[in-house]
Structure formats: structure tokens, C-alpha cells
């Protein structure tokens, strides 16, 4: 599978001020495969040290953290020369060797000529242990996410359609909207976890893809047990398992009492932070006003909580995989939550940090809001056929916003203040909003 992150890895290699690179992301997002593929394409050799597979490698950091001694010991253990120009040194599952994470500081300062990439899960990388420090300012960072819709199309349908989707020529794309929408229905069920996508491309078996999603969810649960404090474990699981039911409500604001009757914020705040640190949830905060900077208007007591992948969300919710063949059902299941999840994933993968807005009375709500060079772009997500945009109009008038986005299954249309963007082209919504 071709991932857009490959271009970012290639750019890192050619950067004059290159530092050791930490690649992070939730488990099963394809970090290990992509780094090895990067090494295969860009280097004469890749030396991989997997600290989970072989714990004896942790001894590399038992003495000092001198990078040249570490390089020499790796050469002796593997029998392979590490050339600064032609070898990629890959520390996989780096969270299992915290002193290895600290050593990246010294690779940056004392041996910057080496190409060093470290990969690990969010949770392990976020742990702080006594006597060990995170190499702040001494590493470059790259976050991996599940496959975007464009990447899914590239894997499932090939480069021709994916390239057209990436270019975003709506006059061309509208003529094949029915084809793209069929792929979007598949994506809504399959999601973007690479193993699941690979199985779907190979077999087209929805049931087998659901089984693999179940395996990933079980692996996440096992990782909770491994990394999280025992006192938080059950609360993490309760909050995690509540996500589908939370999103199934008309008002998708996270409600602590829906996790456990009588629960309050203080009971679950730390557990939710651990889920965020692990990368399995996205928190979308509420803002009291659609004004810049959005962070200055954040309501710390209200937020929506989404899963990291819409395929996993569907599996957690028990959505039948056959929903993909039943008209537009997959877009409207549990109050359109899958559709909002999809839109959020597309934005997050682009580096956006969406928020949502609602007025004090609760009579108007904007699903997402983005920051742009021209101000705030409010976004309304429509899963069904009802395309009234009362809340968008209220928000635009209240905050003097001249361009808004509504994304739905309807064709592209620019009405001046309101742009309707097909769901399958939502990755271009900011560009369209700024085009006037």
C-alpha cells in the first residue's frame, strides 16, 4: 500500500538539519512496515533492532549512551556494517527500551550523520520513568494514522482514480461520483487499519475484515493492561467501550454519567487522558465562540470523543458488515456517527485540530470548525438527505463568517456563503472554502 507518509520520510532523509526521527501512532497503523519499506527504497541496507522481539538489545544502553559505542555494539551483534550515508538504523518498539529513547538526544548531538528512526506506540512513548528523559528538541516527529479515504482508494481501486481524487477536479469527479461513493461505503465499514485493508483488497471478505478488527480491539485491550496503572484500567475500559453509545445520541457531547451512573469528570479525566496518549481516541473540544484563536474560547467541560478508526468504531458498535450494500444506510447508522467519524479522521490526517460549537441554549450546533488563513471555517456534516443548514446560518450570522462548508452525499455546489462538498471530497473542503 502506498502511504502519503512515505513522502514525509523521504523529505526527512534529505533535510540538512535532520535529527533522529520518532514515528509514533496507535498500534496496527503500519509504522513498522512503512519504515522498513522506506529503508528498502532509499538505503542500501536497513538494520532493524526490535526491542520487543529481542529484549537482549536493551543492554545496548546499560552502560553509557555514547552513540558510537552503541553503533559498534550493534555491528558486532548483527555482523553488519552501519554506514552513515547508506544504512537506515531502525529502533522498533522503542517504548520497550526507555534509555534507547533517551539515547536519541546524543545521536542528535554527537552523531548526526547517522540516519536513525525509532518507532513505538503512543502509550509507551508517553511514559515517564525515573532517571530517564524524553529528548525534547533533539528529535523530529512523524505521526502515523489509519489510511485516509484517498489511500484506501489507491489500494482498492488503483492510482488512476486515487490521483483524480487527490487532484480534486470536481467537474471530472462528479461524472464518476457513483463509483467513488461505492468505495466510500466500503471504507465506512473497512476503515483504514492497514491489515484490514490488505485483507479486503485480497479477498473482499467483509466478515473476515470484521474478525481482524476484533483482533485489533483485543490487542488494544491487552495493551491497556500492560501499560496503564491498575487503578485506571477499568475506567479506561469503561470509557473506551462507551464511545459507540455516546456517539449514537443526537447530542454527541461526551457524558460521564453514560459511562457509569453518577460518574463525574474527576472520576474519568485521567483515564481519558491515557486513552488519548495511547492514540485510540480523538477528543474534539467545544468552543463558546467561532473566533480566533479557537483555543481561547475552549470550554474545558464539554467535548466529543471519537475512535481512532471508523472501521474499529463500526466493529465496536456491532454494525453489520452488510450495511454497505443497503442504500445509504451505512452513512446514517447510529445518528450519523460513522459519517462524523470519517470526516474527523480526514481532517486529523491533514494535521487539523477540529473543534465544535454550540450555542448556550443548545438550539444550534456546528459539527466541526477549522482554522484557516482567512479565519474560521464552520463545517456541518450531513449523513442523510435533509440538507437544511439552519445552524450554519445562525453561526455565520452571529460570528460574521462569510464562507461555510456542508458535506453530504449531494454533488459539489458553491452558493457563495455555503459550499456543499461531497463526503468523498471532504479532504478538499478547506481549499474550496478559501477559493473565493
Amino acid at each position: 500500500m502506498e502511504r502519503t507518509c512515505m513522502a514525509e520520510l523521504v523529505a526527512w532523509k534529505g533535510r540538512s538539519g535532520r535529527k533522529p526521527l520518532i514515528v509514533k501512532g496507535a498500534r496496527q497503523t503500519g509504522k513498522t512496515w512503512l519504515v522498513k519499506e522506506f529503508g528498502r527504497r532509499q538505503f542500501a541496507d536497513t538494520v532493524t533492532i526490535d526491542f520487543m522481539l529481542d529484549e537482549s538489545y536493551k543492554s545496548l544502553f546499560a552502560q553509557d549512551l555514547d552513540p558510537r559505542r552503541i553503533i559498534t555494539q550493534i555491528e558486532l551483534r548483527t555482523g553488519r556494517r552501519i554506514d552513515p550515508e547508506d544504512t537506515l538504523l531502525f529502533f522498533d518498539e522503542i517504548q520497550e527500551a526507555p534509555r534507547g529513547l533517551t539515547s536519541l538526544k546524543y545521536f542528535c548531538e554527537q552523531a548526526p550523520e547517522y540516519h536513525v528512526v525509532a518507532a513505538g506506540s503512543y502509550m509507551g512513548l508517553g511514559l515517564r520513568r525515573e532517571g530517564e528523559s524524553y529528548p525534547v528538541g533533539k528529535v523530529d516527529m512523524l505521526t502515523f494514522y489509519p489510511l485516509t479515504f484517498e489511500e484506501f482508494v489507491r489500494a482498492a481501486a488503483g492510482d488512476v482514480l486515487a490521483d483524480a481524487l487527490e487532484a480534486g477536479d470536481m467537474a471530472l469527479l462528479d461524472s464518476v461520483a457513483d463509483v467513488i461513493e461505492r468505495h466510500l461505503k466500503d471504507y465506512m465499514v473497512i476503515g483504514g487499519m492497514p491489515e484490514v485493508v490488505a485483507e479486503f483488497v485480497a479477498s473482499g471478505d467483509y466478515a473476515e475484515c470484521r474478525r481482524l478488527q476484533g483482533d485489533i480491539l483485543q490487542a488494544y485491550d491487552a495493551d491497556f493492561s500492560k501499560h496503564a496503572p491498575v487503578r485506571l484500567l477499568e475506567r479506561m475500559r469503561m470509557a473506551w467501550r462507551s464511545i459507540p453509545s455516546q456517539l449514537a445520541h443526537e447530542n454527541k457531547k461526551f457524558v460521564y454519567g453514560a459511562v457509569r451512573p453518577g460518574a463525574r469528570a474527576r472520576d474519568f479525566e485521567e483515564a481519558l487522558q491515557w486513552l488519548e496518549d495511547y492514540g485510540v481516541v480523538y477528543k474534539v473540544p467545544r468552543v463558546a465562540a467561532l473566533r480566533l484563536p479557537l483555543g481561547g474560547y475552549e470550554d474545558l467541560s464539554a467535548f466529543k470523543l471519537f475512535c481512532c478508526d471508523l472501521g474499529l468504531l463500526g466493529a465496536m458498535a456491532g454494525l453489520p458488515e452488510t450495511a454497505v450494500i443497503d442504500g445509504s444506510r451505512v452513512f446514517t447508522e447510529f445518528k450519523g456517527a460513522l459519517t462524523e467519524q470519517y470526516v474527523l479522521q480526514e481532517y486529523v490526517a491533514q494535521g487539523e485540530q477540529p473543534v465544535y460549537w454550540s450555542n448556550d441554549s443548545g438550539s444550534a450546533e456546528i459539527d466541526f470548525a477549522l482554522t484557516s488563513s482567512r479565519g474560521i471555517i464552520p463545517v456541518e456534516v450531513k449523513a442523510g438527505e435533509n440538507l437544511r443548514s439552519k445552524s450554519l446560518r445562525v453561526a455565520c450570522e452571529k460570528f460574521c463568517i462569510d464562507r461555510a462548508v456542508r458535506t453530504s452525499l449531494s454533488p459539489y455546489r458553491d452558493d457563495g456563503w455555503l459550499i456543499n462538498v461531497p463526503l468523498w471530497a471532504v479532504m478538499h473542503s478547506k481549499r474550496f472554502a478559501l477559493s473565493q
Side-chain angles (χ1 to χ4, degrees), residues 266-298:
R266 64 173 178 267
D267 300 322
F268 283 92
E269 282 178 335
E270 192 176 358
L272 289 176
Q273 186 61 57
W274 272 80
L275 291 173
E276 273 197 278
D277 290 344
Y278 189 39
V280 296
V281 300
Y282 302 136
K283 183 185 284 188
V284 178
R286 175 186 178 269
V287 291
L290 294 177
R291 297 191 179 98
L292 291 173
L294 285 172
Y297 298 93
E298 187 173 325

Side-chain angles (χ1 to χ4, degrees), residues 297-312:
Y297 298 93
E298 187 173 325
D299 176 0
L300 298 178
S301 66
F303 59 90
K304 299 178 184 178
L305 198 68
F306 291 88
C307 186
C308 61
D309 175 66
L310 74 168
L312 295 184

Side-chain angles (χ1 to χ4, degrees), residues 59 72 105 182 397:
S59 65
T72 299
K105 173 180 185 292
R182 284 201 300 271
E397 291 177 355

Side-chain angles (χ1 to χ4, degrees), residues 88-199:
L88 177 65
L89 180 57
F90 179 28
F91 290 154
D92 201 10
E93 303 292 356
I94 189 68
Q95 76 280 353
E96 301 298 321
R99 278 179 59 80
L101 193 63
T102 306
S103 76
L104 299 182
K105 173 180 185 292
Y106 301 100
F107 273 97
C108 175
E109 294 175 345
Q110 301 174 22
E113 66 274 20
Y114 288 94
H115 295 80
V116 183
V117 175
S121 68
Y122 275 102
M123 186 174 285
L125 289 176
L127 292 176
R128 294 183 179 181
R129 307 189 189 190
E130 188 175 351
E132 295 152 7
S133 61
Y134 195 87
V136 176
K138 303 297 182 180
V139 292
D140 293 321
M141 302 289 292
L142 179 61
T143 301
F144 277 21
Y145 300 103
L147 273 75
T148 63
F149 177 54
E150 180 221 308
E151 290 174 322
F152 175 83
V153 170
R154 196 172 297 281
D159 291 340
V160 174
L161 185 58
D163 287 346
L165 195 60
E166 182 182 14
D169 182 344
M170 298 309 295
L172 175 65
L173 292 172
D174 278 342
S175 66
V176 290
D178 58 327
V179 176
I180 304 173
E181 190 174 310
R182 284 201 300 271
H183 289 300
L184 181 57
K185 286 182 180 180
D186 285 335
Y187 182 62
M188 298 288 282
V189 171
I190 302 305
M193 303 306 279
E195 181 185 11
V196 182
V197 175
E199 175 60 35

Side-chain angles (χ1 to χ4, degrees), residues 1 40 74 81 175 201 235 248-249 252 266 312 350:
M1 278 174 273
R40 186 186 70 79
I74 292 174
R81 291 291 182 191
S175 66
V201 171
R235 295 178 195 179
H249 297 143
K252 294 175 174 58
R266 64 173 178 267
L312 295 184
Q350 292 180 329

